Amino acid sequence: MDNYLHTVSNDWYRQRITGALVCVLAAFLILLARLYYLQIIEGPGLRQRSQDNWFRVHSVAPMRGLIFDRAGALLVDNRPRFDVSILSREARDPEGVVQNLSGLLDIPSEPLLAKLAEARGTPFFKPILLSRDISRDAVATIEAHKLELPGIVISVEPTRHYIEGERAPHLIGYLSEISPEELRSGALPDNSGGDFIGKFGVEKAYETYFHGKRGTRHVEVNALGQLTRVLKTEEAQPGKNIYLTLDIRLQRTAESLLAGKVGTALAMDPSNGHVLAMGVSPAFDPNAFVVGMTHESWNELVSNPFRPLENKAIQGQYPPGSVYKIVAAIAGLEEGVITEHTTLYCGGSYTYGNRTFRCWKRRGHGFMDATNALAQSCDVFFYQVGEKLGVDRLAKYARACGLGSPTGIDLDKESRGLVPTKEWKLRRLGVPWQGGETLSVTIGQGFNLVTPVQMLGLISAVANGGTRHKPLVIRRIEFPDGSPVEEQAPVSLGTLPASKNTLRVVRNGLMDAVNKPTGTGWIARIAGIDVAGKTGTAQVVGMPDDDDKKKKAVESIEHYHRDHGWFVAFAPAKEPRVAVAVLIEHGGHGSTSAAPVAREMIRTYLEDLGIKELKIDN
Amino acid sequence: MIDRRLLQHFDWLFLGLTLVIGGIGILALYSAVNANADMTEVGRLVYVKQSYWLGISSGVMILLLLFSYRWLSRMAFPIYGASIVLLLTVFFLGKEVSGSQRWLVLGPVSIQPSEMMKISLAIMLARYFSESATKDGFSLQGLWKPLIWTILPFVLILKQPDLGTGLILLLIAGSVTVFVKIERRSLLCLTAAGIAVSGMAWFFLKGYQKQRISAFLDPQGDPLGAGYHIIQSKIAVGSGLFFGKGFLKGTQNALSFIPEQHTDFIFSVLAEEWGFLGSVTIIILYLLLIIWGLSVAVRSKDPFGTVLAVGLTSMIFWQTFINVAMVLALLPVVGVPLPLISYGGSSMLANMVAIGILLNISMRRFLFKD
């Protein structure tokens, strides 16, 4: 100890230790203050968060209601869909596992790896969806190789299944993921993001019936999100089953008849307005929507020039062509501008002002009464009727026949059509009505636009004696146990503006159209059954000289310049059981394109009903 | 060797305090592993193993009491040398567990030499500083030896990598050095150097270590990644409220929201189940332990005993403070166990040895004169 003064003593150490003690106390005070802050001040909030950590309310999707045809044939049900996902936390090497998976399932790995890359940053306990709707074979393969695929999980979800695929998709509709706008609208309070809801057709119109009621499951989960305990369950209530008015066999026939054509073929029970068939071509497979459609398939659907997603039966608007002569005949007879005995001369053309209006039959029909004029679709006869009526009186009858306004069918996006009037033209085009235009309108050309379902309603009303029914697509709604919710009763929209006698004249005309060799619908006759019908040919483009078009074979005319073919009919004439309306876009003449389709539909339906011999005794 | 006088001065209260904390630790462990549904069958038995370790460590502690701690001063170099050799052995032959090489496997047990290193270093520094301390404090010249003794094991432990234990080593050395006083100029120099080195060290930190630090600074930035542990630990502690959720009833623990719930984050389990009341009680028990350690230092008439007691007490203090502060999200996540409570045989043994030496110093305090 050289320097005693500097040598440390116990007292010196004591001071240093007191300093250390102060430091220690200060440090522990910080810990205690922090504990107080976390457990007392922040405590209640953090208690809530610990609760949120483990408490989850799982929503249980209800089983969607089934769809049957009118006789109870199952058309749409729900099937299990297998989705394969990966839990990146358990996979350890997700890329490697995905490579393995793609090798085992023999599918390309790029899209799977892309999904994985997209999902980077999602919570580690959330499964990343790799592939939706894998096959049962793929499920089996994955199960067999579970050890080589750590973190791979398969989940099962109920998915809509349209059993016959492209069968009546425009009527049945499809499901698709609920959009943010639909969620916000509050119209579907029982739905949440990611749900699939009806987006089209009956699926959309009856969404609230199909949906049922969501159930809940209160569960406890651990930090991996795995379920550890179910605390409380409230079962989901399955949706209601719906029986369509559709006759699936007739629907199949209609669709097969439309194969390769663009158009629609409709059938209705004239006694109650039940839509028995709604064939629309081209069609689409609604199954493609329910698992999430790829961009390519969607683009293909929307860029298809024949608009497969359009329900041509209710959305399509076409000039009615000569089918409109039914309306013109009713108007003429009811307004007294003609009687059933009035005969007018057809020389093949009619001159109005300085314009010449041709009849489709250039040689002319000679003297015609209303029945013959309908049967042979004489244009000149109706030019004269139209001239006498004037467009506004004609329009009044057209409206009363249900044209120019939606039929109110329970399907989305129905068009209203167009019934031109003088006032309409002035308002819309700013040009006064030309008298000659009335003549075109009377034979169903010009500004006239109708939807096929309006034509169906018209012919059905003619068939049943004048009652206009709302077209019905739903026959009955049932609870899952089969007890009825609702039976759809026929809905009358009014009556045709026609007396019994007028209707008799019109029906006779339609009978002759099919059953006399001079009739335009001769091709639609069925041995042993009285079919009544009316052809129509709607001009699409006014060719420089209409005659050119008439001379040429349909096939030689450019597709979009071909006329639309119409045929409306009902049978048996005496006691009608079915009314049909067929429109073939750019099919050329109604008699050649649409009438055979109508004929086969009638034949199929009546044969199924067992009706063969109902011919009226002449 | 042990006469009646020594037994009279034996600090039964302190031993009792130690065993109470150890006992709480076993209860906490029991809850940590048995309330948790995801724990494996083997994992459920860690509280039994911990009891064995507590027993074995107590035995070692009693054995240590038979010899005077003065003997440690003479043996400082061999003990330190042996510890360094063990660290080197770990470096070359150690067992790797989840990315770091910290364990030496000796038959059925694995030990962490880095735990022993803390005590060896405290002994080395106590011997050196007690022999040459002056009231003026140490200058840089006098500090180069202790600096090398500290840096060498620090680097070896950092390479394992085990940042937590490495830091504790630095903090022990720092505490003892400040305790024996450094010249103001030297202190400034060392502080500046320390800041510069830690600045540079940022570049050498492992990815996960950097992540932990940034997660600490902003836990919400990545709530499901690195910040997840911090947030879940806070939730566990806070949700205990005043009285806690009750023994075995902590949902954060039971459903695996607490990470490392039986080792570094065991305090979360305690705080969740036993609430503010329990947490404060435990903190106060530790505070009493540390105050008692400092009182041993004060009461020892022997400078070596005083400095050694300060070193060992600082070891317990820093581990406790850093562990609890980390659990309470006051510090970034560094792997530092809670003394006597966190599961781990080596840590238990090291802390019991430290307390044994403190008891030893305490019971032999009257053998010296001023």
Side-chain angles (χ1 to χ4, degrees):
Chain A
M1 308 285 167
D2 302 330
N3 194 341
Y4 182 78
L5 279 178
H6 294 277
T7 309
V8 296
S9 64
N10 274 332
D11 281 344
W12 185 79
Y13 275 129
R14 192 185 296 273
Q15 281 171 19
R16 305 291 295 174
I17 289 168
T18 309
L21 183 64
V22 170
C23 294
V24 167
L25 288 173
F28 272 69
L29 211 60
I30 291 172
L31 295 184
L32 290 175
R34 178 68 171 175
L35 270 174
Y36 182 80
Y37 174 76
L38 284 180
Q39 297 191 297
I40 307 300
I41 295 176
E42 295 267 276
L46 292 169
R47 171 67 71 99
Q48 184 57 46
R49 285 181 69 183
S50 86
Q51 178 100 343
D52 296 345
N53 257 345
W54 62 264
F55 184 75
R56 301 261 194 289
V57 178
H58 284 182
S59 161
V60 184
M63 198 56 89
R64 197 172 170 87
L66 309 177
I67 303 181
F68 299 93
D69 93 330
R70 63 184 294 112
L74 184 61
L75 303 180
V76 182
D77 65 354
N78 305 293
R79 68 175 169 88
R81 182 190 79 209
F82 299 97
D83 295 343
V84 59
S85 312
I86 187 165
L87 272 167
S88 49
R89 181 183 158 119
E90 284 176 26
R92 289 187 186 279
D93 169 24
E95 277 83 11
V97 172
V98 164
Q99 292 281 9
N100 255 353
L101 182 74
S102 87
L104 281 169
L105 299 185
D106 200 22
I107 48 173
S109 62
E110 287 79 20
L112 303 185
L113 289 170
K115 288 256 172 71
L116 203 58
E118 261 172 50
R120 214 169 284 283
T122 48
F124 56 79
F125 54 77
K126 280 215 168 143
I128 300 162
L129 180 68
L130 293 176
S131 184
R132 239 186 202 159
D133 200 16
I134 58 169
S135 68
R136 277 169 194 273
D137 287 349
V139 174
T141 309
I142 290 171
E143 289 296 335
H145 295 83
K146 232 176 160 43
L147 292 178
E148 299 152 53
L149 301 167
I152 291 289
V153 285
I154 295 173
S155 58
V156 192
E157 293 285 330
T159 297
R160 205 58 162 165
H161 180 216
Y162 300 93
I163 295 169
E164 293 187 39
E166 294 195 3
R167 183 74 63 224
H170 300 91
L171 184 130
I172 293 172
Y174 54 81
L175 304 185
S176 193
E177 203 170 322
I178 190 165
S179 70
E181 293 76 35
E182 287 161 330
L183 271 176
R184 272 199 298 274
S185 75
L188 301 165
D190 203 36
N191 284 97
S192 50
D195 280 0
F196 278 74
I197 60 163
K199 287 287 179 104
F200 192 62
V202 167
E203 290 270 37
K204 177 176 183 181
Y206 289 85
E207 170 64 30
T208 50
Y209 289 92
F210 284 126
H211 179 70
K213 194 166 182 307
R214 206 166 259 288
T216 50
R217 229 160 23 134
H218 295 198
V219 299
E220 181 191 87
V221 295
N222 64 14
L224 291 174
Q226 293 160 337
L227 192 146
T228 49
R229 211 148 49 103
V230 177
L231 305 168
K232 195 177 126 195
T233 309
E234 195 181 305
E235 297 295 345
Q237 291 168 17
K240 284 137 194 122
N241 297 336
I242 286 186
Y243 288 75
L244 301 177
T245 54
L246 213 61
D247 179 309
I248 197 62
R249 279 180 298 190
L250 185 58
Q251 177 71 22
R252 288 187 195 121
T253 306
E255 288 178 6
S256 66
L257 291 166
L258 286 174
K261 302 185 170 80
V262 178
T264 175
L266 308 169
M268 181 182 266
D269 182 338
S271 68
N272 52 20
H274 284 186
V275 175
L276 300 169
M278 186 180 273
V280 179
S281 178
F284 60 91
D285 184 356
N287 287 310
F289 285 85
V290 297
V291 287
M293 194 177 277
T294 63
H295 236 355
E296 292 79 48
S297 352
W298 174 253
N299 281 339
E300 216 176 285
L301 274 179
V302 293
S303 64
N304 185 325
F306 302 121
R307 313 174 308 283
L309 292 176
E310 179 190 72
N311 185 351
K312 296 179 173 58
I314 63 165
Q315 291 173 260
Q317 304 190 90
Y318 310 89
S322 297
V323 177
Y324 200 72
K325 286 169 185 164
I326 296 173
V327 177
I330 291 173
L333 290 164
E334 288 295 318
E335 287 293 311
V337 302
I338 53 167
T339 70
E340 66 175 299
H341 306 297
T342 308
T343 53
L344 299 167
Y345 182 74
C346 168
S349 67
Y350 183 71
T351 308
Y352 179 86
N354 54 3
R355 261 193 80 184
T356 299
F357 290 81
R358 286 213 165 90
C359 187
W360 67 268
K361 191 173 176 185
R362 298 197 59 188
R363 285 183 287 114
H365 288 94
F367 283 101
M368 292 262 114
D369 62 6
T371 308
N372 284 329
L374 279 170
Q376 299 183 31
S377 204
C378 177
D379 293 337
V380 169
F381 179 90
F382 283 101
Y383 291 147
Q384 297 171 68
V385 173
E387 188 188 348
K388 289 179 176 138
L389 278 169
V391 68
D392 288 346
R393 264 203 290 181
L394 190 59
K396 194 179 90 186
Y397 280 84
R399 287 221 189 79
C401 286
L403 308 184
S405 57
T407 63
I409 190 170
D410 280 343
L411 299 174
D412 222 14
K413 298 175 185 159
E414 187 183 2
S415 302
R416 55 187 317 126
L418 176 63
V419 174
T421 59
K422 287 179 180 166
E423 187 260 329
W424 167 83
K425 191 186 174 198
L426 193 62
R427 178 163 46 82
R428 212 44 205 277
L429 304 173
V431 186
W433 189 265
Q434 305 293 310
E437 289 171 334
T438 306
L439 274 56
S440 297
V441 165
T442 313
I443 62 156
Q445 312 292 354
F447 298 114
N448 269 322
L449 286 175
V450 297
T451 64
V453 78
Q454 286 171 339
M455 293 288 96
L456 181 69
L458 174 66
I459 192 65
S460 177
V462 170
N464 70 22
T467 307
R468 289 177 47 235
H469 286 118
K470 175 181 162 182
L472 299 180
V473 292
I474 297 298
R475 196 177 184 198
R476 190 167 70 245
I477 305 174
E478 283 186 358
F479 285 108
D481 65 3
S483 56
V485 177
E486 222 176 285
E487 193 93 23
Q488 178 69 271
V491 179
S492 170
L493 301 173
T495 50
L496 289 181
S499 67
K500 274 211 158 72
N501 195 48
T502 300
L503 278 180
R504 186 182 50 78
V505 174
V506 170
R507 283 215 291 263
N508 285 339
L510 303 191
M511 267 291 283
D512 290 353
V514 176
N515 297 296
K516 284 195 171 160
T518 50
T520 50
W522 174 244
I523 197 170
R525 73 198 179 280
I526 301 171
I529 294 172
D530 282 333
V531 177
K534 181 75 198 82
T535 53
T537 305
Q539 288 173 4
V540 174
V541 188
M543 296 276 255
D545 184 350
D546 261 359
D547 294 343
D548 285 357
K549 204 143 93 177
K550 300 225 159 77
K551 274 183 233 152
K552 285 182 184 170
V554 168
E555 288 73 23
S556 67
I557 306 171
E558 204 185 325
H559 182 88
Y560 286 103
H561 292 168
R562 292 180 203 159
D563 294 334
H564 297 319
W566 278 103
F567 196 74
V568 298
F570 60 91
K574 197 177 174 187
E575 200 181 312
R577 301 298 294 269
V578 62
V580 298
V582 177
L583 172 99
I584 306 297
E585 278 189 17
H586 309 293
H589 244 280
S591 61
T592 49
S593 60
V597 174
R599 178 190 68 212
E600 291 312 310
M601 285 174 70
I602 291 170
R603 192 207 300 280
T604 305
Y605 186 70
L606 295 184
E607 269 174 16
D608 281 347
L609 285 182
I611 296 167
K612 277 168 191 157
E613 304 292 338
L614 276 171
K615 199 158 172 75
I616 303 170
D617 301 316
N618 277 336
Chain B
M1 239 180 326
I2 290 214
D3 58 28
R4 194 175 294 155
R5 236 171 17 128
L6 287 178
L7 274 180
Q8 272 171 5
H9 293 129
F10 186 74
D11 219 324
W12 293 104
L13 208 65
F14 187 50
L15 181 67
L17 185 61
T18 306
L19 293 178
V20 164
I21 296 176
I24 289 172
I26 287 163
L27 278 180
L29 266 180
Y30 180 83
S31 179
V33 296
N34 278 280
N36 186 297
D38 297 331
M39 190 51 71
T40 58
E41 282 305 309
V42 178
R44 287 188 197 291
L45 293 174
V46 298
Y47 74 97
V48 180
K49 284 167 84 179
Q50 182 83 337
S51 317
Y52 291 157
W53 275 112
L54 186 61
I56 292 167
S57 307
S58 305
V60 170
M61 189 172 77
I62 288 162
L63 220 64
L64 279 172
L65 293 174
L66 301 179
F67 308 94
S68 169
Y69 70 92
R70 294 290 313 166
W71 175 77
L72 293 174
S73 176
R74 288 195 296 279
M75 294 299 287
F77 272 104
I79 292 170
Y80 178 84
S83 298
I84 290 289
V85 168
L86 282 176
L87 277 180
L88 284 168
T89 318
V90 167
F91 189 73
F92 292 111
L93 301 171
K95 176 180 150 200
E96 196 175 310
V97 176
S98 54
S100 47
Q101 199 164 329
R102 301 178 189 173
W103 282 268
L104 263 188
V105 181
L106 301 172
V109 289
S110 308
I111 60 157
Q112 284 190 68
S114 53
E115 290 291 336
M116 288 301 140
M117 191 68 231
K118 297 175 193 165
I119 291 168
S120 312
L121 183 68
I123 296 169
M124 269 305 263
L125 296 177
R127 172 181 159 150
Y128 177 79
F129 285 135
S130 63
E131 280 174 2
S132 45
T134 67
K135 284 179 182 169
D136 297 335
F138 286 85
S139 63
L140 284 179
Q141 271 171 318
L143 285 176
W144 69 268
K145 276 190 195 166
L147 201 64
I148 285 170
W149 295 336
T150 308
I151 295 297
L152 177 64
F154 173 72
V155 169
L156 284 172
I157 290 170
L158 212 58
K159 289 297 280 183
Q160 289 181 348
D162 184 354
L163 183 63
T165 310
L167 276 178
I168 294 295
L169 217 56
L170 286 189
L171 287 168
I172 294 170
S175 306
V176 175
T177 311
V178 170
F179 173 72
V180 298
K181 203 173 176 187
I182 317 178
E183 281 178 0
R184 179 163 296 167
R185 205 147 39 104
S186 312
L187 185 62
L188 287 174
C189 281
L190 275 177
T191 310
I195 290 168
V197 169
S198 33
M200 282 194 295
W202 175 258
F203 296 100
F204 292 100
L205 283 179
K206 305 264 175 202
Y208 77 92
Q209 289 167 333
K210 280 189 196 176
Q211 215 176 25
R212 281 175 179 181
I213 292 172
S214 47
F216 163 73
L217 296 173
D218 178 21
Q220 301 293 344
D222 179 16
L224 291 163
Y228 181 75
H229 291 170
I230 295 175
I231 290 172
Q232 292 302 340
S233 175
K234 259 168 75 175
I235 292 174
V237 172
S239 67
L241 300 181
F242 191 79
F243 290 108
K245 294 177 183 170
F247 186 53
L248 296 179
K249 290 191 182 138
T251 55
Q252 288 286 103
N253 169 43
L255 298 166
S256 309
F257 288 98
I258 302 176
E260 306 281 335
Q261 81 274 26
H262 61 298
T263 56
D264 293 350
F265 281 87
I266 188 110
F267 191 76
S268 311
V269 178
L270 281 167
E272 186 188 16
E273 296 188 345
W274 297 354
F276 185 67
L277 202 63
S279 317
V280 169
T281 308
I282 291 157
I283 296 286
I284 287 174
L285 290 178
Y286 277 108
L287 185 59
L288 290 176
L289 193 73
I290 288 156
I291 290 173
W292 177 83
L294 290 178
S295 85
V296 169
V298 170
R299 284 179 293 160
S300 171
K301 303 290 186 289
D302 164 34
F304 172 70
T306 300
V307 180
L308 181 58
V310 166
L312 296 174
T313 307
S314 81
M315 163 180 149
I316 294 169
F317 165 75
W318 283 117
Q319 290 184 108
T320 308
F321 179 76
I322 289 178
N323 179 278
V324 175
M326 166 188 89
V327 166
L328 301 184
L330 286 171
L331 284 178
V333 176
V334 280
V336 173
L338 186 62
L340 305 173
I341 290 189
S342 282
Y343 174 68
S346 306
S347 162
M348 173 68 89
L349 186 63
N351 285 304
M352 288 297 274
V353 164
I355 288 164
I357 294 170
L358 285 170
L359 281 167
N360 197 328
I361 298 169
S362 165
M363 69 194 264
R364 290 190 167 83
R365 62 185 182 268
F366 297 110
L367 300 183
F368 302 92
K369 286 186 179 144
D370 279 287

